[in-house]
Amino acid sequence: MATDEAALAEVMEHSAAVLTAAGFPRMPARVMMALTVTESAGLTAAELAARLEVSPAAISGAVRYLQTLGIIRRLAQTGTRRDRYELPSDWYALMVRNSPIYGVLADQAEAGLAAVGDPSSPATERLRDMAGFYKFLQGRLPELIGEWEQVRSAREA
């Protein structure tokens, strides 16, 4: 059990608020952070609802969203009809690997280039930079994840 439950709850809510401000949906952010700071391997929907003081329906939608992204997994609890939700140890890497966002943004920038049509347009330069930047990120993410996993392994050794 955490030494300072109130401080841990504050970290959980503040982190969820930061994620929300960055565009992540509020309830999935809160669920993800609750699973991050829990002392147990995972939490049931009822435990999440109680911890976050929200309805079971809010939890249902949030876990469905997080499962779609590959951030959490649902595990059946032996001897009960309830499932437990937990974060895989590499949830952040799964999220990045499964996210097509950078490729989609690069494709959209290239579609914009085709629509502008004028190679001397200021929009062309910005769209070319945008496409290049997002292709660069998409290409480098696997390397960065691999590097992080090496750092993480060394830190845990």
Side-chain angles (χ1 to χ4, degrees):
M1 186 150 220
T3 305
D4 189 342
E5 288 290 331
L8 191 57
E10 186 175 321
V11 166
M12 178 187 73
E13 291 296 345
H14 182 72
S15 297
V18 170
L19 288 168
T20 301
F24 205 83
R26 184 173 187 269
M27 190 52 60
R30 292 184 73 212
V31 167
M32 186 174 73
M33 290 314 304
L35 291 170
T36 300
V37 303
T38 186
E39 295 288 334
S40 63
L43 298 169
T44 65
E47 291 167 334
L48 284 164
R51 180 170 291 200
L52 299 175
E53 300 177 342
V54 298
S55 72
I59 297 300
S60 177
V63 297
R64 190 175 349 145
Y65 178 83
L66 292 168
Q67 284 179 289
T68 300
L69 295 179
I71 296 174
I72 66 170
R73 62 179 168 220
R74 180 176 61 182
L75 301 169
Q77 288 190 296
T78 310
T80 179
R81 291 179 25 193
R82 292 186 178 201
D83 294 325
R84 187 180 77 233
Y85 299 95
E86 63 181 43
L87 292 168
S89 62
D90 62 345
W91 64 268
Y92 44 84
L94 290 169
M95 186 169 88
V96 171
R97 282 187 187 117
N98 294 335
S99 175
I101 184 100
Y102 299 122
V104 170
L105 288 169
D107 290 346
Q108 288 302 305
E110 288 177 346
L113 283 169
V116 170
D118 179 359
S120 63
S121 166
T124 297
E125 183 178 338
R126 289 189 298 270
L127 287 164
R128 191 176 295 127
D129 282 347
M130 179 179 163
F133 177 70
Y134 287 124
K135 284 180 181 179
F136 171 79
L137 284 179
Q138 185 178 30
R140 285 295 313 272
L141 281 174
E143 293 174 50
L144 290 172
I145 291 169
E147 188 178 326
W148 162 247
E149 288 169 347
Q150 289 176 347
V151 167
R152 182 180 180 206
S153 294
R155 188 180 67 189
E156 292 173 354

